[in-house]
Amino acid sequence: MRLEDVRKEYGDATALDGVSLEIRSGEAVAVMGPSGCGKSTLLNMVAGLDRPSSGRVVVHGDDLTGLDETGLALFRRRRIGMVFQFFNLLDDLSALDNVALAAQLTGTPARQARRRAQELLDELGIADRRNAYPAVLSGGERQRVAVARALMNRPALLLADEPTGALDSHAGEQVMDLLLDLNQIGQTLLLVTHDRRLASRCANRVVDLADGRVVGERSLERAG
Amino acid sequence: MRTVKAVGTVRAVGTVGATSAVWAVARAAVRRRKLQTGVIGVVVLVSTMTIVVALGLLDAASAPFDRAFAQQRGSQVTASFDAGRVSAAQLAATGHASGVTAVAGPFPEALATLDRTVVTHVPGPVTVVGRAGPGGSVDRVNLWAGRWAAGPGEVVFSSPPGILGEGTHAALGRQVVLSGVRFTVVGLASSVSESADAWVAPDRIAALHPESVQMLYRFAHAGTDAEVAADVRAVADAVPRGALTASESYLSLERRSESSPNAFVPFLMVFGILGLLVAVLIVGNVVSGAVVSGFRHIGMLKALGFTPNQVVAVYLVMVSAPALVGCALGVVLGDLTEQPLMEQLLGNGITGAYLADSVGLSAWVDIVALLGVPTLVLLAALAPSLRARGLPAARAVSAGSVQRGGRALRIQRALTGSRLPRSVSLGLGLPFARPGRSALTLAAVVLGVTTVTFSTGLAATVTAFGDAAEGGGAYQVVVNAGRADVGTTPPTHTDPQIQALLAALPGATQVTPSAYVPVRLAGAAQGLTLTAYRGTSSDLGTMVVRGRWFDGPGEVVVTPGFLNLHGLSVGDRLTLRTAGREERVTVVGESLSGDPDYLSTDWTTATALAPGVTGRQYLVKLAPGTSVDAYQRAVRAADPGLHPSAKETVNAASVTAVGSASVLTLLLGAVAALGVFNTVVLNTRERRRDLGVLKSIGMTPRQVTAMTVVSMAALGLVGGVVGVPLGVLAHALVLPLTGRGGGIDFPPSMRDVWHPAGLVLLVLSGVALAALGAFVPSRAAARLTIARVLHNE
């Protein structure tokens, strides 16, 4: 994944000011910085949820700046998995169906999608909660379901935006372990967080942002 | 005391401040929620317009005769007395007879012979009354052109406004001869009581040798034939035996008006009822939806310190502002639409024109709309507002992100396992998330489809009727012989010569002369017109629904209205009279429709009643491929006194009915589609986060559009499946109502207008209606910015 001199402006405010960044396959990178430094904007650019005002974003060979809305949707579907701070599960669907949904959008038959979703929930240790709806799941369980959904289409890049931000410490630990495990089996990770523990536990490189600019970059020996 | 006063002052200041805050927040909400404000305004406008048109049509259609009769204080009994057998004092005494509440007269009355056509009156016997003016306590005649007859030789003819005929205003100033006395037409007036054909000043009628005296009565009880008969007996008892020579009840006039060929009244009533229902449903849905979608905002207001009542006030003001503007504009636009629609629809036929003259815009309709629609809006807003009022702030803030009911989840789950594309199965499940809103939307779509179906059936029936009424193209040219008395050049040829001339012109294959003979039916006061045909007439396209076309002397074909009015049926015999002659004829057939005062017969029967009758109109059949224009040019060249015209192939009344039905259908369809539009706007707003999630995991804009459109198209399909049978049922129920009125008796070929393919298309019209309403907001949903939605949590 490569960001080349990416700028993003919202009216007079500059959210990203010439950010360049490269992430290689299998890496786990944490983007850190204070509130309002542009972390989430950067993540949105990589996920194709927002468009840069200038510069290029290239993910797995796809130049996102040249894609239309449908192209971006297909890109997200095939290349990206996203985990949000507030889970963003669909309240009307069970845990299993939330996970299966991502595959079904690609045209995978319902039965096959549910089988794969079941496997993922099993791997993530919440198979027994597959028929529960988000409203009755704990925060940690919801985030595990969200991670399972993000992994459903075997993404090239897993993006996580403050994945432990809305969890208690125990649930946060579980999610950290999960992300670490995923990276160790080869899943590329891009984390946005201001949680140093999460960064040191899961990432092997940290990029510091301030006022929309990359102000530092360092490699880490993972704590875990 | 001082402390109490101080507290009171603080409360007063607080109340003023709170009112100001409520107003400020409501005004800001109106401005900020431009789309919602616009939707409420437009929906209320179109709904109010529909309500005004619907109520106006219902009002006019429910009792047009009664309204016109009440406006003119019509005569409930119009009585004729033998002038030689009753004195003025005795006539005045009838005003005190049992039950009489108002009386007008005595007016001297003469039966005169008119020499030429004046508007709707043809040469022949006419009733002339000597009357000082159009006003009075009974039968307030509407003098709509010219002035009342005052001087010598002045006459006012009765004529309904809107009957153009030869040109009503051209009739003013015309010289006519009544029983040998020359008169000038100075005015035209209409009387719903049909009290006279013409009026002259009382001191000028002596020249016409009046033999009877007319009295006009209103009674305390005259609702039934029996009551009217008792009233007439009371009047007859007040004068010498045999002095009362004739009397006509307004009830028979009412029946005549109902039997006129105005087939549209029952149809209008259906449209009116449908319009009311759709409008009420949509206003309720839109307004309550606006309040429900603002629950989170309500929570914030409460958190800020707004009291529950202030929250309710904010929301009522927020929805009332655009609703009041929409309502006011809707009333104005509704009035503008209603008036021409009523004039067109009720103005069919002579009786209809009298009624259309009297049926105006009803003030009560506007008042009901101006008071009723805002009340409806307030009630629709009040229920959810009160619910929001009682919600704890924390719950109100979290509204919209809680788990939905079990049934919705079960359905969603069942759909998840289906083989349908996921965007489609998700869309199918959406209506169950908000079952109340979906039910109201569905009901609006059902009524919309019912309207479309009913309108389609109506159009098919009326078009078939119109084609049949115009003879189905049986002949192509109508040639009228000019007449000096109506200001057109008379022909140089005689009647037989004209027939031969027309038959000899290139292209003509058949020429059938026809004539009109004024007659009276023995035992009835009203005049009739006998249409006589010379030669072949059975193939001129008149549809006979019972019996057969006449094929010899002494046989007549009549209209359903005629049979209904006189209580006759096919096979009955009746006696027709002209001055000094009478003929016994048999009713051998009943035509599809037509004026209740017209009968058709052969030339021999007509000449027996009116010797010397000549052809006035020639119906010409042309060989296929013959140019109608070329034939008409040849006719004019052959005799300038012959006035050809191409036979109408399109029935004007049918076109009016179909056109008006289309306007009403479009109006109702637009309201129903707006309802769907509003539902999708509300659903999209409530499900912004879900849409953001779906897009973040790869749902394409097209899939979002498909999901949203499918959610409403599913409702549309159900609406179609339910609405089409309702529309077919309404069509089946309404058609016999027109038949019962006697105006038209639709044969099975005109009633059975449904075909399987057409019905499927009508079901799909529900899908189209819903998809149309959903498309624009679904596109907006597809363009939703994901990043903003998901990070606003």
Side-chain angles (χ1 to χ4, degrees):
Chain A
M1 185 221 75
R2 206 167 67 244
L3 271 73
E4 296 174 3
D5 197 20
V6 169
R7 284 179 66 83
K8 181 65 185 177
E9 288 154 1
Y10 297 105
D12 293 336
T14 302
L16 291 179
D17 187 7
V19 171
S20 293
L21 180 66
E22 188 169 339
I23 300 174
R24 288 174 296 278
S25 180
E27 263 196 304
V29 175
V31 177
M32 299 190 68
S35 289
C37 71
K39 301 189 298 289
S40 293
T41 306
L42 185 146
L43 199 74
N44 289 341
M45 297 299 148
V46 177
L49 299 181
D50 210 344
R51 291 172 184 277
S53 304
S54 64
R56 291 175 73 206
V57 180
V58 180
V59 180
H60 214 264
D62 292 325
D63 183 352
L64 306 194
T65 44
L67 297 178
D68 61 8
E69 279 301 310
T70 302
L72 286 174
L74 296 177
F75 159 76
R76 284 192 294 273
R77 190 188 287 177
R78 290 172 190 150
R79 307 281 189 223
I80 295 289
M82 277 203 81
V83 179
F84 300 92
Q85 180 178 0
F86 294 105
F87 329 120
N88 282 330
L89 299 175
L90 298 181
D91 296 326
D92 295 345
L93 300 183
S94 67
L96 185 76
D97 291 336
N98 260 291
V99 178
L101 181 66
Q104 285 179 284
L105 282 177
T106 66
T108 307
R111 183 173 294 182
Q112 196 178 323
R114 289 174 114 171
R115 197 183 310 129
R116 160 101 175 123
Q118 175 69 47
E119 287 168 9
L120 277 171
L121 290 176
D122 213 9
E123 286 172 23
L124 298 181
I126 46 171
D128 57 329
R129 306 291 279 156
R130 64 181 180 278
N131 291 325
Y133 286 88
V136 297
L137 293 175
S138 70
E141 288 171 332
R142 287 189 216 184
Q143 198 59 298
R144 280 165 180 266
V145 173
V147 170
R149 182 181 66 188
L151 297 173
M152 190 65 187
N153 291 331
R154 299 182 176 86
L157 181 61
L158 182 64
L159 305 174
D161 187 359
E162 302 284 8
T164 59
L167 302 176
D168 59 36
S169 58
H170 177 65
E173 288 287 336
Q174 288 180 324
V175 170
M176 283 184 216
D177 289 344
L178 177 60
L179 292 175
L180 181 61
D181 290 348
L182 287 169
N183 180 240
Q184 283 177 345
I185 59 170
Q187 176 67 57
T188 311
L189 277 179
L190 175 59
L191 306 173
V192 162
T193 184
H194 55 250
D195 182 347
R196 294 196 175 280
R197 283 192 63 234
L198 173 66
S200 62
R201 183 87 169 269
C202 300
N204 43 33
R205 183 152 60 106
V206 170
V207 175
D208 290 312
L209 274 188
D211 298 328
R213 293 180 183 182
V214 176
V215 294
E217 197 171 335
R218 57 206 148 92
S219 296
L220 290 177
E221 282 297 319
R222 278 198 282 235
Chain B
M1 279 299 280
R2 189 174 293 171
T3 310
V4 172
K5 197 171 182 180
V7 170
T9 309
V10 169
R11 276 185 184 158
V13 170
T15 308
V16 171
T19 308
S20 159
V22 166
W23 177 244
V25 170
R27 204 172 49 184
V30 167
R31 283 182 185 160
R32 191 169 52 84
R33 301 175 177 207
K34 287 192 179 72
L35 181 63
Q36 178 182 290
T37 302
V39 168
I40 292 175
V42 170
V43 164
V44 171
L45 184 153
V46 181
S47 300
T48 308
M49 198 175 153
T50 310
I51 285 172
V52 167
V53 172
L55 280 180
L57 293 178
L58 281 175
D59 180 52
S62 57
F65 180 85
D66 292 346
R67 283 165 52 93
F69 195 74
Q71 279 185 16
Q72 289 196 4
R73 276 186 64 81
S75 166
Q76 289 172 329
V77 169
T78 301
S80 289
F81 296 89
D82 186 336
R85 300 176 70 174
V86 65
S87 67
Q90 286 169 323
L91 284 173
T94 61
H96 304 294
S98 171
V100 175
T101 57
V103 64
F107 304 127
E109 183 182 66
L111 191 63
T113 304
L114 176 66
D115 72 322
R116 63 189 61 200
T117 300
V118 180
V119 279
T120 55
H121 302 278
V122 294
V126 289
T127 301
V128 184
V129 167
R131 189 162 159 177
S137 56
V138 183
D139 189 30
R140 291 170 184 165
V141 173
N142 173 21
L143 179 67
W144 60 272
R147 57 178 174 79
W148 197 253
E154 292 183 347
V155 64
V156 171
F157 269 87
S158 71
S159 170
I163 291 291
L164 295 177
E166 51 171 329
T168 43
H169 288 276
L172 291 179
R174 175 169 296 166
Q175 299 286 313
V176 297
V177 176
L178 289 164
S179 296
V181 183
R182 187 167 293 277
F183 282 87
T184 303
V185 181
V186 296
L188 296 169
S190 71
S191 161
V192 74
S193 305
E194 298 184 19
S195 55
D197 295 317
W199 295 272
V200 296
D203 55 347
R204 305 294 170 186
I205 199 168
L208 298 176
H209 311 293
E211 293 181 346
S212 55
V213 180
Q214 183 186 73
M215 293 290 288
L216 310 170
Y217 297 97
R218 289 179 68 86
F219 297 93
H221 304 286
T224 63
D225 285 328
E227 286 177 347
V228 171
D231 293 332
V232 171
R233 276 197 302 277
V235 168
D237 290 345
V239 294
R241 192 177 178 81
L244 178 63
T245 53
S247 66
E248 173 137 46
S249 162
Y250 79 106
L251 293 173
S252 65
L253 287 175
E254 187 174 26
R255 281 191 283 272
R256 275 172 58 77
S257 81
E258 286 169 355
S259 67
S260 68
N262 190 341
F264 310 125
V265 170
F267 292 120
L268 293 183
M269 297 192 80
V270 172
F271 275 115
I273 292 165
L274 285 171
L276 277 176
L277 289 175
V278 172
V280 168
L281 276 174
I282 296 299
V283 168
N285 196 12
V286 167
V287 172
S288 60
V291 179
V292 169
S293 73
F295 271 13
R296 195 180 293 245
H297 183 233
I298 287 166
M300 289 173 192
L301 293 179
K302 285 186 171 180
L304 282 172
F306 277 69
T307 66
N309 285 341
Q310 285 168 344
V311 168
V312 171
V314 165
Y315 270 77
L316 292 186
V317 172
M318 190 182 84
V319 297
S320 298
L324 284 174
V325 174
C327 178
L329 287 174
V331 167
V332 173
L333 290 176
D335 283 347
L336 289 176
T337 311
E338 181 197 349
Q339 182 68 34
L341 207 61
M342 281 204 301
E343 279 174 6
Q344 276 198 309
L345 291 174
L346 296 176
N348 287 292
I350 292 173
T351 316
Y354 276 113
L355 299 181
D357 166 41
S358 309
V359 174
L361 293 174
S362 295
W364 75 266
V365 169
D366 289 353
I367 292 168
V368 164
L370 282 170
L371 296 178
V373 172
T375 306
L376 176 71
V377 167
L378 284 179
L379 285 175
L382 199 59
S385 291
L386 289 176
R387 190 149 63 95
R389 180 182 185 275
L391 271 184
R395 268 192 69 197
V397 171
S398 67
S401 60
V402 294
Q403 191 185 332
R404 315 223 188 274
R407 185 176 300 166
L409 297 178
R410 282 199 297 277
I411 292 167
Q412 189 60 265
R413 176 147 222 178
L415 287 166
T416 302
S418 71
R419 288 176 177 274
L420 293 167
R422 198 63 183 103
S423 52
V424 173
S425 61
L426 280 171
L428 290 174
L430 285 181
F432 300 98
R434 285 272 182 210
R437 182 183 297 161
S438 300
L440 283 174
T441 310
L442 175 63
V445 174
V446 165
L447 292 174
V449 174
T450 302
T451 309
V452 171
T453 306
F454 177 72
S455 176
T456 305
L458 168 66
T461 299
V462 169
T463 302
F465 164 75
D467 289 347
E470 295 304 331
Y475 55 98
Q476 291 73 39
V477 178
V478 178
V479 180
N480 282 291
R483 287 166 52 200
D485 63 343
V486 295
T488 53
T489 312
T492 54
H493 297 77
T494 63
D495 176 23
Q497 286 173 333
I498 293 170
Q499 185 177 4
L501 174 84
L502 294 175
L505 290 175
T509 59
Q510 179 182 312
V511 177
T512 305
S514 68
Y516 301 103
V517 179
V519 296
R520 285 187 187 267
L521 184 66
Q526 291 298 326
L528 302 171
T529 299
L530 196 61
T531 308
Y533 298 92
R534 189 168 70 213
T536 308
S537 59
S538 58
D539 59 353
L540 293 177
T542 304
M543 183 178 275
V544 178
V545 291
R546 277 188 198 84
R548 57 172 174 79
W549 191 247
F550 59 81
D551 63 2
E555 294 182 345
V556 291
V557 173
V558 299
T559 63
F562 177 89
L563 293 177
N564 186 57
L565 192 62
H566 299 284
L568 297 168
S569 53
V570 174
D572 286 347
R573 291 178 62 77
L574 42 100
T575 303
L576 300 177
R577 287 188 178 139
T578 53
R581 296 174 185 274
E582 69 175 45
E583 276 294 306
R584 290 279 287 170
V585 295
T586 305
V587 178
V588 294
E590 177 187 349
S591 61
L592 169 69
S593 68
D595 195 302
D597 295 339
Y598 278 72
L599 305 85
S600 300
T601 192
D602 76 323
W603 203 257
T604 309
T605 309
T607 49
L609 285 160
V613 65
T614 58
R616 283 191 33 200
Q617 221 172 41
Y618 301 84
L619 315 178
V620 183
K621 282 190 173 195
L622 297 178
T626 306
S627 162
V628 172
D629 287 342
Y631 185 83
Q632 290 184 76
R633 281 196 297 275
V635 171
R636 288 191 200 98
D639 187 337
L642 294 176
H643 307 278
S645 58
K647 173 76 177 81
E648 287 289 338
T649 52
V650 178
N651 183 272
S654 303
V655 171
T656 303
V658 172
S660 304
S662 303
V663 169
L664 288 162
T665 304
L666 275 178
L667 209 56
L668 294 184
V671 178
L674 269 175
V676 174
F677 175 91
N678 175 67
T679 298
V680 176
V681 167
L682 292 176
N683 285 350
T684 304
R685 184 172 294 160
E686 284 175 15
R687 303 184 75 90
R688 280 163 61 87
R689 189 182 66 93
D690 287 2
L691 288 169
V693 171
L694 289 167
K695 289 184 79 173
S696 77
I697 60 172
M699 187 175 259
T700 62
R702 188 174 291 181
Q703 285 176 312
V704 173
T705 305
M707 177 181 72
T708 316
V709 171
V710 161
S711 70
M712 290 296 110
L715 286 183
L717 187 64
V718 176
V721 169
V722 177
V724 167
L726 287 177
V728 171
L729 185 68
H731 181 260
L733 291 176
V734 166
L735 283 187
L737 291 181
T738 58
R740 199 177 302 160
I744 297 169
D745 192 358
F746 294 106
S749 63
M750 292 181 193
R751 291 198 297 264
D752 303 333
V753 294
W754 308 110
H755 306 289
L759 290 173
V760 170
L761 281 177
L762 285 170
V763 169
L764 293 179
S765 75
V767 180
L769 195 75
L772 192 72
F775 186 71
V776 172
S778 71
R779 295 285 296 164
R783 285 196 295 268
L784 215 58
T785 310
I786 313 166
R788 196 178 304 158
V789 174
L790 295 184
H791 291 286
N792 277 349
E793 287 295 315

